[in-house]
Coordinates of all heavy atoms in Angstrom, one line a residue:
M11 N 65.1 29.8 234.9 CA 65.5 28.7 234.1 C 66.9 28.3 234.3 O 67.4 27.3 233.8 CB 65.2 28.9 232.6 CG 63.8 28.6 232.2 SD 63.4 26.9 232.2 CE 64.2 26.3 230.7
T12 N 67.7 29.2 234.9 CA 69.1 28.8 235.1 C 69.2 27.6 236.1 O 68.6 27.6 237.1 CB 69.8 30.0 235.8 OG1 69.7 31.1 234.9 CG2 71.3 29.7 235.9
E13 N 70.0 26.7 235.6 CA 70.2 25.5 236.4 C 71.6 25.1 236.4 O 72.2 24.9 235.3 CB 69.3 24.4 235.8 CG 69.2 23.2 236.8 CD 68.3 22.1 236.2 OE1 67.4 22.5 235.4 OE2 68.4 21.0 236.6
D14 N 72.2 25.0 237.5 CA 73.6 24.5 237.6 C 73.6 23.0 237.7 O 72.7 22.4 238.4 CB 74.3 25.1 238.8 CG 74.6 26.6 238.5 OD1 74.5 27.0 237.3 OD2 74.9 27.3 239.5
I15 N 74.6 22.4 237.1 CA 74.7 21.0 237.2 C 76.1 20.6 237.8 O 77.0 21.4 237.9 CB 74.6 20.3 235.8 CG1 75.7 20.8 234.9 CG2 73.2 20.4 235.3 CD1 75.8 20.0 233.6
R16 N 76.2 19.4 238.3 CA 77.4 18.9 238.9 C 78.1 17.9 237.9 O 77.4 17.0 237.4 CB 77.2 18.2 240.2 CG 76.9 19.2 241.3 CD 75.9 18.7 242.3 NE 74.7 18.2 241.6 CZ 74.0 17.2 242.0 NH1 74.3 16.5 243.0 NH2 72.9 16.9 241.3
I17 N 79.4 18.1 237.7 CA 80.2 17.1 237.0 C 81.3 16.6 237.9 O 81.8 17.4 238.7 CB 80.8 17.9 235.8 CG1 79.8 18.5 234.8 CG2 81.8 17.0 235.0 CD1 79.1 17.5 233.9
Y18 N 81.6 15.4 237.8 CA 82.6 14.8 238.7 C 83.8 14.4 237.8 O 83.6 13.7 236.8 CB 82.1 13.7 239.5 CG 81.0 14.1 240.3 CD1 79.6 14.0 239.9 CD2 81.2 14.6 241.6 CE1 78.6 14.4 240.7 CE2 80.1 15.0 242.4 CZ 78.8 14.9 241.9 OH 77.8 15.3 242.7
V19 N 85.0 14.7 238.2 CA 86.2 14.3 237.6 C 86.9 13.3 238.5 O 87.2 13.6 239.6 CB 87.2 15.5 237.2 CG1 88.4 14.9 236.6 CG2 86.5 16.4 236.3
E20 N 87.2 12.1 238.0 CA 87.9 11.1 238.8 C 89.4 11.4 238.6 O 90.0 11.2 237.5 CB 87.5 9.7 238.3 CG 88.2 8.7 239.2 CD 87.5 7.3 239.2 OE1 86.4 7.2 239.7 OE2 88.0 6.4 238.6
E21 N 90.0 11.9 239.7 CA 91.4 12.2 239.7 C 92.3 10.9 239.8 O 93.4 10.9 239.3 CB 91.8 13.2 240.8 CG 90.7 14.3 241.0 CD 90.9 15.4 240.0 OE1 91.9 15.4 239.2 OE2 90.1 16.4 240.0
A22 N 91.8 10.0 240.6 CA 92.5 8.8 240.9 C 91.3 7.8 241.3 O 90.2 8.3 241.6 CB 93.5 8.9 242.0
P23 N 91.6 6.5 241.2 CA 90.5 5.6 241.6 C 89.9 5.9 242.9 O 90.6 6.1 243.9 CB 91.2 4.2 241.6 CG 92.4 4.4 240.6 CD 92.8 5.8 240.8
G24 N 88.6 6.1 242.9 CA 87.9 6.4 244.2 C 88.0 7.9 244.6 O 87.4 8.2 245.6
Q25 N 88.7 8.7 243.8 CA 88.8 10.1 244.2 C 88.2 11.0 243.2 O 88.8 11.1 242.1 CB 90.3 10.4 244.4 CG 90.6 11.8 245.0 CD 92.0 12.2 244.8 OE1 92.9 11.3 244.7 NE2 92.3 13.5 244.7
R26 N 87.1 11.6 243.5 CA 86.4 12.4 242.5 C 86.3 13.8 243.0 O 86.0 14.1 244.2 CB 85.0 11.8 242.3 CG 85.0 10.5 241.6 CD 83.6 9.9 241.5 NE 83.7 8.6 240.8 CZ 82.6 7.9 240.5 NH1 81.4 8.2 240.9 NH2 82.8 6.7 239.9
T27 N 86.4 14.8 242.1 CA 86.3 16.2 242.4 C 85.0 16.7 241.8 O 84.8 16.4 240.6 CB 87.5 17.0 241.8 OG1 88.7 16.4 242.3 CG2 87.5 18.4 242.3
E28 N 84.2 17.4 242.5 CA 83.0 18.0 242.0 C 83.2 19.3 241.4 O 83.9 20.2 241.9 CB 82.0 18.1 243.1 CG 80.6 18.6 242.7 CD 79.6 18.7 243.9 OE1 79.0 17.7 244.2 OE2 79.5 19.8 244.4
H29 N 82.6 19.6 240.2 CA 82.6 20.9 239.6 C 81.2 21.3 239.2 O 80.4 20.5 238.8 CB 83.5 20.8 238.3 CG 84.9 20.4 238.6 ND1 85.8 21.3 239.1 CD2 85.5 19.3 238.5 CE1 87.0 20.7 239.2 NE2 86.8 19.4 238.9
I30 N 80.9 22.5 239.5 CA 79.6 23.1 239.2 C 79.6 23.8 237.9 O 80.5 24.7 237.7 CB 79.1 24.0 240.3 CG1 79.3 23.4 241.7 CG2 77.7 24.5 240.1 CD1 78.2 22.3 242.0
G31 N 78.7 23.6 237.0 CA 78.7 24.3 235.7 C 77.3 24.8 235.4 O 76.3 24.2 235.8
P32 N 77.2 25.9 234.7 CA 75.9 26.5 234.3 C 75.4 25.8 233.0 O 76.2 25.3 232.2 CB 76.3 28.0 234.0 CG 77.7 27.9 233.6 CD 78.3 26.8 234.3
T33 N 74.1 25.8 232.9 CA 73.6 25.1 231.7 C 73.0 26.2 230.7 O 72.4 25.8 229.7 CB 72.5 24.1 232.0 OG1 71.5 24.8 232.8 CG2 73.0 23.0 232.9
D34 N 73.1 27.4 231.1 CA 72.4 28.5 230.3 C 73.4 29.3 229.4 O 73.1 30.3 228.9 CB 71.6 29.4 231.2 CG 72.5 30.1 232.2 OD1 73.6 29.7 232.3 OD2 72.0 31.1 232.7
M35 N 74.6 28.8 229.3 CA 75.7 29.5 228.5 C 76.2 28.8 227.3 O 77.1 29.2 226.6 CB 76.8 29.9 229.5 CG 76.5 30.8 230.6 SD 77.8 31.1 231.8 CE 79.1 31.8 230.7
G36 N 75.6 27.6 227.0 CA 76.0 26.9 225.9 C 77.4 26.3 226.0 O 78.1 26.1 225.0
L37 N 77.9 26.1 227.2 CA 79.3 25.7 227.5 C 79.4 24.2 227.1 O 78.5 23.4 227.3 CB 79.7 25.9 228.9 CG 80.0 27.3 229.4 CD1 80.4 27.2 230.9 CD2 81.0 27.9 228.5
S38 N 80.6 23.8 226.7 CA 80.9 22.4 226.5 C 81.6 21.9 227.8 O 82.1 22.7 228.6 CB 81.8 22.2 225.3 OG 83.1 22.7 225.6
L39 N 81.6 20.6 227.9 CA 82.3 20.0 229.1 C 83.8 20.4 229.0 O 84.4 20.7 230.0 CB 82.2 18.5 229.0 CG 82.9 17.7 230.1 CD1 82.5 18.2 231.5 CD2 82.7 16.2 229.9
M40 N 84.4 20.5 227.8 CA 85.8 20.9 227.7 C 86.0 22.3 228.3 O 87.0 22.5 229.0 CB 86.2 20.9 226.2 CG 87.6 21.4 225.9 SD 87.6 23.2 225.6 CE 87.1 23.4 224.0
E41 N 85.1 23.2 228.0 CA 85.2 24.6 228.5 C 85.1 24.6 230.0 O 85.8 25.3 230.7 CB 84.2 25.5 227.8 CG 84.5 25.7 226.4 CD 83.4 26.3 225.6 OE1 82.2 25.9 225.8 OE2 83.6 27.2 224.7
L42 N 84.2 23.8 230.6 CA 84.1 23.7 232.0 C 85.4 23.2 232.6 O 85.9 23.7 233.6 CB 82.9 22.9 232.4 CG 82.8 22.7 233.9 CD1 82.4 24.0 234.6 CD2 81.7 21.6 234.3
L43 N 85.9 22.1 232.0 CA 87.1 21.5 232.6 C 88.3 22.5 232.5 O 89.1 22.6 233.4 CB 87.5 20.2 231.8 CG 86.5 19.1 232.0 CD1 86.8 17.9 231.0 CD2 86.4 18.6 233.4
K44 N 88.5 23.2 231.4 CA 89.5 24.2 231.3 C 89.4 25.3 232.3 O 90.3 25.7 233.0 CB 89.5 24.8 229.9 CG 90.4 24.2 228.9 CD 90.3 24.9 227.5 CE 91.3 26.1 227.5 NZ 92.7 25.6 227.2
A45 N 88.1 25.8 232.5 CA 87.9 26.8 233.4 C 88.1 26.3 234.9 O 88.4 27.1 235.8 CB 86.4 27.3 233.3
S46 N 88.0 25.0 235.1 CA 88.3 24.5 236.4 C 89.8 24.2 236.6 O 90.1 23.7 237.7 CB 87.5 23.2 236.5 OG 86.1 23.4 236.3
G47 N 90.6 24.5 235.7 CA 92.0 24.5 235.9 C 92.7 23.2 235.3 O 93.9 23.0 235.5
Y48 N 92.0 22.4 234.6 CA 92.6 21.2 234.1 C 93.4 21.6 232.8 O 93.0 22.5 232.1 CB 91.5 20.1 233.7 CG 90.9 19.5 234.9 CD1 89.7 20.0 235.4 CD2 91.6 18.5 235.6 CE1 89.1 19.5 236.5 CE2 91.0 18.0 236.8 CZ 89.8 18.5 237.2 OH 89.3 18.0 238.4
N49 N 94.5 20.9 232.6 CA 95.4 21.2 231.6 C 95.0 20.5 230.3 O 95.4 19.5 229.9 CB 96.8 20.7 232.0 CG 97.9 21.1 231.0 OD1 97.6 22.1 230.2 ND2 99.0 20.4 230.9
I50 N 94.0 21.2 229.6 CA 93.5 20.7 228.3 C 93.9 21.7 227.3 O 93.5 22.9 227.4 CB 92.0 20.5 228.4 CG1 91.6 19.4 229.4 CG2 91.4 20.2 227.0 CD1 90.1 19.3 229.6
M51 N 94.6 21.3 226.3 CA 95.1 22.3 225.3 C 94.0 22.8 224.4 O 93.9 24.0 224.1 CB 96.3 21.7 224.5 CG 97.5 21.6 225.4 SD 99.0 21.2 224.3 CE 98.6 19.6 223.8
A52 N 93.1 21.9 224.0 CA 92.0 22.3 223.1 C 92.5 23.1 221.9 O 92.0 24.2 221.6 CB 90.9 23.1 223.9
T53 N 93.6 22.6 221.3 CA 94.2 23.4 220.2 C 93.2 23.7 219.1 O 93.4 24.6 218.3 CB 95.4 22.7 219.7 OG1 95.2 21.3 219.7 CG2 96.6 22.9 220.6
C54 N 92.2 22.8 218.9 CA 91.3 23.1 217.7 C 90.2 24.0 218.1 O 89.3 24.3 217.3 CB 90.8 21.8 217.2 SG 89.5 21.0 218.2
G55 N 90.1 24.4 219.4 CA 89.1 25.3 219.8 C 87.7 24.7 220.0 O 86.7 25.4 219.9
G56 N 87.6 23.3 220.1 CA 86.4 22.7 220.2 C 85.7 22.2 218.9 O 84.5 22.1 218.9
M57 N 86.6 22.0 217.9 CA 86.0 21.6 216.6 C 86.1 20.0 216.4 O 86.0 19.6 215.2 CB 86.8 22.3 215.5 CG 86.8 23.8 215.6 SD 85.2 24.5 215.3 CE 85.1 24.2 213.5
A58 N 86.4 19.3 217.4 CA 86.5 17.8 217.3 C 87.7 17.4 216.4 O 87.6 16.4 215.6 CB 85.2 17.2 216.8
L59 N 88.8 18.2 216.4 CA 89.9 18.0 215.5 C 91.2 17.7 216.2 O 92.2 17.3 215.5 CB 90.1 19.2 214.6 CG 89.0 19.4 213.5 CD1 89.2 20.8 212.8 CD2 88.9 18.3 212.5
C60 N 91.3 17.9 217.5 CA 92.6 17.7 218.1 C 92.7 16.6 219.1 O 93.7 16.0 219.4 CB 93.1 19.0 218.7 SG 92.2 19.4 220.3
A61 N 91.5 16.3 219.7 CA 91.4 15.2 220.7 C 92.2 15.4 222.0 O 92.3 14.5 222.8 CB 91.8 13.8 220.1
T62 N 92.7 16.6 222.2 CA 93.3 16.9 223.5 C 92.3 17.0 224.6 O 92.7 17.1 225.8 CB 94.2 18.2 223.4 OG1 93.3 19.3 223.1 CG2 95.3 18.1 222.4
C63 N 91.0 17.0 224.3 CA 90.0 17.1 225.3 C 89.4 15.7 225.5 O 88.3 15.7 226.1 CB 88.9 18.1 224.8 SG 88.0 17.5 223.4
H64 N 90.0 14.7 225.1 CA 89.5 13.3 225.2 C 89.3 13.0 226.7 O 90.1 13.2 227.6 CB 90.6 12.4 224.7 CG 90.3 10.9 224.8 ND1 91.3 10.0 224.6 CD2 89.2 10.3 224.9 CE1 90.8 8.8 224.7 NE2 89.5 8.9 224.9
V65 N 88.1 12.5 227.0 CA 87.7 12.0 228.3 C 87.1 10.6 228.2 O 86.6 10.2 227.2 CB 86.7 12.9 229.1 CG1 87.3 14.3 229.3 CG2 85.4 13.0 228.3
E66 N 87.2 9.9 229.3 CA 86.5 8.7 229.4 C 85.3 8.9 230.3 O 85.5 9.3 231.5 CB 87.4 7.6 230.0 CG 86.8 6.2 230.2 CD 87.8 5.2 230.8 OE1 88.9 5.6 231.2 OE2 87.4 4.1 230.9
V67 N 84.1 8.6 229.8 CA 82.9 8.7 230.6 C 82.8 7.5 231.5 O 82.7 6.3 230.9 CB 81.7 8.9 229.8 CG1 80.4 8.9 230.6 CG2 81.8 10.2 229.0
L68 N 82.8 7.6 232.8 CA 82.7 6.5 233.7 C 81.3 6.1 234.2 O 81.0 5.0 234.4 CB 83.7 6.7 234.9 CG 85.1 7.0 234.6 CD1 85.9 7.4 235.9 CD2 85.8 5.8 233.9
A69 N 80.5 7.2 234.4 CA 79.2 6.9 234.9 C 78.4 8.2 234.7 O 78.9 9.2 234.2 CB 79.3 6.6 236.4
G70 N 77.1 8.1 235.0 CA 76.2 9.2 234.9 C 75.1 9.0 233.8 O 74.9 7.9 233.4
P71 N 74.5 10.1 233.5 CA 73.3 10.0 232.5 C 73.8 9.6 231.1 O 74.9 9.8 230.8 CB 72.8 11.4 232.5 CG 73.9 12.3 232.9 CD 74.8 11.5 233.8
A72 N 72.9 9.0 230.4 CA 73.1 8.7 229.0 C 73.3 10.0 228.2 O 72.6 10.9 228.4 CB 72.0 7.9 228.4
L73 N 74.3 10.0 227.4 CA 74.6 11.2 226.6 C 74.1 11.0 225.2 O 74.0 9.9 224.7 CB 76.2 11.4 226.5 CG 76.8 11.7 227.8 CD1 78.4 11.7 227.7 CD2 76.4 13.1 228.4
P74 N 73.9 12.1 224.5 CA 73.6 12.0 223.0 C 74.7 11.3 222.3 O 75.9 11.4 222.7 CB 73.5 13.5 222.6 CG 73.3 14.3 223.8 CD 74.0 13.5 224.9
E75 N 74.4 10.6 221.3 CA 75.3 9.8 220.5 C 76.4 10.8 219.9 O 76.1 11.9 219.5 CB 74.7 9.1 219.4 CG 73.8 7.9 219.8 CD 74.6 6.8 220.5 OE1 75.6 6.4 220.0 OE2 74.2 6.4 221.6
P76 N 77.7 10.3 219.8 CA 78.7 11.1 219.2 C 78.4 11.3 217.7 O 77.8 10.5 217.0 CB 80.0 10.3 219.4 CG 79.6 9.0 219.8 CD 78.2 9.0 220.3
S77 N 78.8 12.5 217.2 CA 78.6 12.8 215.7 C 79.7 12.0 215.0 O 80.6 11.4 215.5 CB 78.9 14.3 215.5 OG 80.2 14.6 215.7
D78 N 79.5 11.9 213.6 CA 80.5 11.2 212.8 C 81.8 11.9 212.9 O 82.9 11.2 212.9 CB 80.0 11.3 211.3 CG 78.8 10.3 211.1 OD1 78.5 9.5 212.0 OD2 78.2 10.5 210.0
D79 N 81.9 13.2 213.0 CA 83.2 13.9 213.2 C 83.9 13.4 214.4 O 85.1 13.2 214.5 CB 83.0 15.4 213.2 CG 82.6 16.0 211.9 OD1 82.8 15.3 210.9 OD2 82.2 17.2 211.8
E80 N 83.1 13.3 215.5 CA 83.7 12.9 216.8 C 84.2 11.5 216.7 O 85.3 11.2 217.1 CB 82.7 13.1 217.9 CG 83.3 12.7 219.3 CD 82.3 12.9 220.4 OE1 81.2 13.5 220.3 OE2 82.6 12.4 221.6
L81 N 83.4 10.6 216.1 CA 83.8 9.2 216.0 C 85.0 9.1 215.1 O 85.9 8.3 215.5 CB 82.6 8.4 215.4 CG 81.4 8.2 216.3 CD1 80.3 7.5 215.5 CD2 81.8 7.3 217.5
D82 N 85.1 9.8 214.0 CA 86.3 9.8 213.2 C 87.5 10.2 213.9 O 88.6 9.6 213.8 CB 86.1 10.8 212.0 CG 85.1 10.2 211.0 OD1 84.7 9.0 211.1 OD2 84.7 11.0 210.1
M83 N 87.4 11.2 214.7 CA 88.6 11.7 215.5 C 89.0 10.6 216.6 O 90.1 10.3 216.7 CB 88.2 13.0 216.2 CG 89.4 13.7 216.8 SD 90.6 14.2 215.6 CE 92.1 13.6 216.3
L84 N 88.0 10.1 217.2 CA 88.3 9.1 218.3 C 89.0 7.9 217.7 O 89.8 7.3 218.3 CB 87.0 8.6 219.0 CG 86.4 9.7 219.9 CD1 85.0 9.2 220.4 CD2 87.3 9.9 221.2
E85 N 88.6 7.5 216.4 CA 89.2 6.4 215.8 C 90.7 6.6 215.5 O 91.4 5.6 215.4 CB 88.5 6.1 214.4 CG 87.4 5.2 214.5 CD 86.7 5.0 213.2 OE1 87.4 5.2 212.2 OE2 85.5 4.6 213.2
T86 N 91.2 7.8 215.5 CA 92.6 8.0 215.2 C 93.5 7.9 216.5 O 94.7 8.0 216.4 CB 92.9 9.4 214.7 OG1 92.6 10.4 215.7 CG2 92.0 9.7 213.5
L87 N 92.8 7.8 217.7 CA 93.6 7.8 218.9 C 94.3 6.4 219.2 O 93.7 5.4 218.9 CB 92.7 8.2 220.1 CG 92.1 9.5 220.0 CD1 91.1 9.7 221.2 CD2 93.1 10.6 220.0
P88 N 95.5 6.5 219.7 CA 96.1 5.2 220.0 C 95.4 4.4 221.1 O 95.5 3.2 221.1 CB 97.5 5.6 220.5 CG 97.4 7.1 220.9 CD 96.3 7.6 220.1
V89 N 94.8 5.1 222.1 CA 94.1 4.4 223.1 C 92.7 4.9 223.3 O 92.5 6.1 223.4 CB 94.9 4.6 224.5 CG1 94.1 3.8 225.6 CG2 96.3 4.1 224.4
V90 N 91.8 4.0 223.1 CA 90.4 4.4 223.2 C 89.7 3.5 224.3 O 90.0 2.4 224.4 CB 89.6 4.3 221.9 CG1 88.3 4.9 221.9 CG2 90.4 4.9 220.8
H91 N 88.8 4.1 225.0 CA 88.1 3.4 226.1 C 86.6 3.2 225.7 O 86.1 3.9 224.8 CB 88.2 4.1 227.4 CG 89.6 4.5 227.7 ND1 90.5 3.7 228.3 CD2 90.3 5.7 227.6 CE1 91.7 4.3 228.5 NE2 91.5 5.5 228.0
T92 N 86.0 2.3 226.4 CA 84.5 2.1 226.1 C 83.8 3.4 226.1 O 82.9 3.7 225.3 CB 83.9 1.1 227.1 OG1 84.9 0.1 227.4 CG2 82.7 0.5 226.5
G93 N 84.1 4.2 227.1 CA 83.3 5.5 227.3 C 84.0 6.7 226.7 O 83.8 7.8 227.1
S94 N 85.0 6.5 225.8 CA 85.7 7.6 225.2 C 84.8 8.6 224.5 O 84.0 8.3 223.7 CB 86.8 7.1 224.2 OG 87.9 6.7 224.9
R95 N 85.0 9.9 224.8 CA 84.3 11.0 224.2 C 85.2 12.2 224.1 O 86.2 12.3 224.8 CB 83.1 11.4 225.0 CG 82.0 10.4 225.1 CD 81.4 10.0 223.8 NE 80.8 11.2 223.1 CZ 79.5 11.5 223.1 NH1 78.6 10.7 223.7 NH2 79.0 12.5 222.4
L96 N 84.9 13.1 223.1 CA 85.6 14.4 223.1 C 84.8 15.3 223.9 O 83.6 15.6 223.6 CB 85.7 14.9 221.7 CG 86.5 14.0 220.7 CD1 86.5 14.5 219.3 CD2 88.0 13.8 221.2
S97 N 85.4 15.9 225.0 CA 84.6 16.7 225.9 C 84.1 18.0 225.3 O 83.1 18.6 225.8 CB 85.3 17.0 227.2 OG 86.5 17.6 227.0
C98 N 84.7 18.4 224.2 CA 84.3 19.6 223.5 C 82.9 19.4 222.8 O 82.3 20.3 222.4 CB 85.3 20.2 222.5 SG 85.6 19.1 221.1
Q99 N 82.6 18.1 222.6 CA 81.4 17.8 221.9 C 80.2 17.5 222.8 O 79.1 17.1 222.4 CB 81.6 16.6 221.0 CG 82.7 16.8 219.9 CD 82.4 18.0 219.0 OE1 81.4 18.1 218.4 NE2 83.2 19.0 219.0
I100 N 80.5 17.6 224.1 CA 79.4 17.4 225.1 C 79.0 18.7 225.7 O 79.7 19.4 226.3 CB 80.0 16.5 226.3 CG1 80.4 15.1 225.7 CG2 78.9 16.3 227.4 CD1 81.1 14.2 226.7
R101 N 77.7 19.1 225.4 CA 77.2 20.3 226.0 C 76.7 20.1 227.4 O 76.2 19.1 227.7 CB 75.9 20.8 225.1 CG 76.2 21.2 223.7 CD 76.8 22.5 223.6 NE 77.9 22.4 222.6 CZ 79.0 23.2 222.6 NH1 79.2 24.2 223.4 NH2 79.9 23.0 221.7
L102 N 76.9 21.2 228.2 CA 76.3 21.1 229.6 C 74.9 21.5 229.5 O 74.5 22.6 229.1 CB 77.1 22.1 230.5 CG 78.6 22.0 230.6 CD1 79.1 23.0 231.7 CD2 78.9 20.6 231.0
T103 N 74.1 20.5 229.8 CA 72.6 20.7 229.9 C 72.1 20.1 231.2 O 72.8 19.3 231.8 CB 71.9 20.1 228.7 OG1 71.8 18.7 228.9 CG2 72.6 20.4 227.4
P104 N 70.9 20.3 231.5 CA 70.3 19.7 232.7 C 70.4 18.1 232.6 O 70.5 17.4 233.6 CB 68.9 20.1 232.8 CG 68.9 21.5 232.1 CD 69.9 21.4 231.0
R105 N 70.5 17.6 231.4 CA 70.6 16.2 231.2 C 72.0 15.6 231.4 O 72.1 14.4 231.4 CB 70.0 15.8 229.9 CG 68.5 16.1 229.7 CD 68.0 15.9 228.4 NE 68.0 14.5 228.0 CZ 67.6 14.1 226.9 NH1 67.1 14.9 226.0 NH2 67.6 12.8 226.6
T106 N 73.0 16.5 231.6 CA 74.3 16.0 231.8 C 74.7 16.0 233.3 O 75.8 15.8 233.7 CB 75.4 16.7 231.0 OG1 75.2 18.1 231.1 CG2 75.3 16.3 229.5
D107 N 73.7 16.4 234.1 CA 73.9 16.5 235.6 C 74.4 15.1 236.1 O 73.8 14.1 235.8 CB 72.6 16.9 236.3 CG 72.9 17.2 237.8 OD1 74.0 17.6 238.1 OD2 71.9 17.0 238.5
G108 N 75.5 15.2 236.9 CA 75.9 13.9 237.5 C 76.9 13.1 236.7 O 77.3 12.0 237.1
L109 N 77.4 13.7 235.6 CA 78.3 12.9 234.8 C 79.7 12.7 235.5 O 80.1 13.6 236.2 CB 78.6 13.8 233.5 CG 79.2 13.1 232.3 CD1 78.2 12.0 231.8 CD2 79.4 14.1 231.2
V110 N 80.2 11.5 235.3 CA 81.5 11.3 235.9 C 82.5 10.9 234.8 O 82.3 10.1 234.0 CB 81.5 10.0 236.9 CG1 82.8 9.8 237.5 CG2 80.4 10.2 237.9
V111 N 83.6 11.7 234.7 CA 84.6 11.5 233.7 C 86.0 11.4 234.2 O 86.3 11.8 235.3 CB 84.6 12.6 232.6 CG1 83.2 12.8 232.0 CG2 85.0 14.0 233.2
R112 N 86.9 10.8 233.4 CA 88.3 10.8 233.7 C 89.0 11.4 232.5 O 88.6 11.1 231.4 CB 88.7 9.3 233.9 CG 90.1 9.1 234.4 CD 90.4 7.6 234.6 NE 90.5 6.9 233.3 CZ 91.6 7.0 232.6 NH1 92.6 7.6 232.9 NH2 91.6 6.3 231.4
L113 N 90.0 12.3 232.8 CA 90.7 12.9 231.7 C 91.6 11.8 231.0 O 92.3 11.1 231.7 CB 91.6 14.0 232.1 CG 90.9 15.2 232.8 CD1 91.8 16.4 232.8 CD2 89.5 15.5 232.2
A114 N 91.4 11.6 229.7 CA 92.1 10.5 229.1 C 93.2 10.9 228.2 O 94.0 10.1 227.7 CB 91.1 9.7 228.3
A115 N 93.4 12.2 227.9 CA 94.4 12.6 227.0 C 95.8 12.7 227.5 O 96.8 12.6 226.8 CB 94.1 14.0 226.4
T116 N 95.9 12.8 228.9 CA 97.2 13.0 229.5 C 98.1 11.7 229.2 O 97.7 10.6 229.4 CB 97.1 13.2 231.0 OG1 96.0 12.4 231.5 CG2 96.9 14.6 231.3
G117 N 99.3 12.0 228.8 CA 100.2 10.9 228.5 C 100.1 10.3 227.1 O 100.8 9.4 226.8
A118 N 99.1 10.7 226.4 CA 98.8 10.1 225.1 C 99.9 10.6 224.1 O 100.4 11.6 224.3 CB 97.4 10.4 224.6
Ligands
FES23 S1 89.1 20.6 221.8 FE1 89.9 19.7 220.0 S2 88.8 17.9 219.8 FE2 87.9 18.8 221.5

């Protein structure tokens, strides 16, 4: 039942890096991004409270709707995009295969 999925991070327009993540460990996208070397502080430890894991979803499969906690946190951000999500609230599952995101917290 172990299934690895691919997540793409857009580093610059037209430049995407592929990352492989397992779906059998209950990992969040934030944890995969941190493990891949991205500079995400995740000061709240994945509790939807710090928004340092903010990403913009650019393409890929439809994700589960954000929780009220996630929406409340996103509302406090100075810059929000159409596809803004907290990556700590996105679980890696076979249904997130092929997701394309851009890190949105840098410079905020
Ligand atoms: S890690 Fe803090 S909101 Fe996601």
Side-chain angles (χ1 to χ4, degrees):
M11 275 290 284
T12 303
E13 191 177 335
D14 287 345
I15 57 167
R16 287 148 303 148
I17 301 285
Y18 300 89
V19 176
E20 185 157 289
E21 316 281 356
Q25 187 195 333
R26 293 176 179 178
T27 308
E28 181 181 277
H29 300 282
I30 309 285
T33 57
D34 61 345
M35 292 172 64
L37 287 184
S38 69
L39 176 58
M40 174 275 277
E41 290 166 318
L42 176 67
L43 294 174
K44 268 181 84 80
S46 302
Y48 291 98
N49 185 20
I50 297 176
M51 288 192 292
T53 38
C54 77
M57 303 291 288
L59 291 172
C60 73
T62 58
C63 68
H64 179 198
V65 297
E66 180 182 3
V67 175
L68 301 175
L73 296 172
E75 291 296 311
S77 67
D78 288 348
D79 285 347
E80 181 177 353
L81 288 173
D82 287 349
M83 191 64 228
L84 287 170
E85 270 179 20
T86 70
L87 298 178
V89 180
V90 190
H91 310 278
T92 322
S94 279
R95 294 296 301 261
L96 298 178
S97 59
C98 67
Q99 301 301 302
I100 298 174
R101 292 285 137 207
L102 300 187
T103 75
R105 296 174 65 179
T106 47
D107 187 29
L109 198 64
V110 183
V111 300
R112 191 176 68 79
L113 300 200
T116 36

